[in-house]
Amino acid sequence: LTDEPSTWHGSSLLSVTQITPEGLSLLMKTSQEMRKLVQSKGGDSRLQHRLLATIFYEASTRTSCSFQAAFKRLGGDVIHVDAGGSTSSTKKGESLSDTIRCLECYVDLSVLRHPVNGSVGEVIQKCCKPVLNAGDGTGEHPTQAL
């Protein structure tokens, strides 16, 4: 992920090591622009008709809400899955990969938090659509690091 915006389009984020120094500069510049947009207008509609899945196998209020708020402020909508809760198909034995493959049929992008180190990387290898790592056990949590 570089300073060329096309390298970010359609890409998953597993680790901060994927981001070049120039890519980090682009990310920080874009973040500052987004902050100004929210402060002045509350958001816009650039993600209208886009759908994000936030899939959390362990609780994290701030991480979950920050992704949901950002996506909605840009006109998108969110499906939240409390995969560790009593209404999840994981209670019936559905695998992590099956859950994500099913959900990616409905959404444009997924954010995944899972308690097992390396689980997000395994999912990314099997998915066709981008997945953002929102923490995988004792592994990396790149969006928090940023």
Side-chain angles (χ1 to χ4, degrees), residues 82-114:
D82 177 6
S86 62
T87 60
S88 170
S89 290
T90 57
K91 296 294 179 191
K92 296 189 239 177
E94 184 175 76
S95 72
L96 174 60
S97 293
D98 286 345
T99 298
I100 303 303
R101 278 197 309 266
C102 176
L103 286 170
E104 80 173 340
C105 292
Y106 311 134
V107 301
D108 301 291
L109 167 73
S110 297
V111 173
L112 176 62
R113 184 178 184 106
H114 197 276

Side-chain angles (χ1 to χ4, degrees), residues 47-55 71 76-81 89 94 97-111 127-131:
L47 295 179
Q48 187 175 13
H49 306 295
R50 300 285 185 182
L51 197 52
L52 168 72
T54 54
I55 309 152
F71 213 77
D77 208 350
V78 178
I79 296 173
H80 178 71
V81 179
S89 290
E94 184 175 76
S97 293
D98 286 345
T99 298
I100 303 303
R101 278 197 309 266
C102 176
L103 286 170
E104 80 173 340
C105 292
Y106 311 134
V107 301
D108 301 291
L109 167 73
S110 297
V111 173
C127 285
C128 298
K129 294 183 181 171
V131 176

Side-chain angles (χ1 to χ4, degrees), residues 11-74:
S11 295
S12 293
L13 178 62
L14 178 62
S15 171
V16 293
T17 61
Q18 292 173 251
I19 305 171
T20 66
E22 297 80 14
L24 183 59
S25 292
L26 174 65
L27 180 61
M28 293 300 124
K29 178 182 175 222
T30 304
S31 297
Q32 290 170 351
E33 291 168 1
M34 292 291 109
R35 177 176 285 159
K36 289 177 184 175
L37 172 71
V38 168
Q39 289 171 343
S40 65
K41 298 180 182 177
D44 66 21
S45 61
R46 70 185 68 194
L47 295 179
Q48 187 175 13
H49 306 295
R50 300 285 185 182
L51 197 52
L52 168 72
T54 54
I55 309 152
F56 280 63
Y57 282 82
E58 61 181 7
S60 179
T61 302
R62 286 180 293 279
T63 301
S64 176
C65 289
S66 66
F67 277 106
Q68 291 179 50
F71 213 77
K72 288 182 176 229
R73 284 190 180 275
L74 297 175

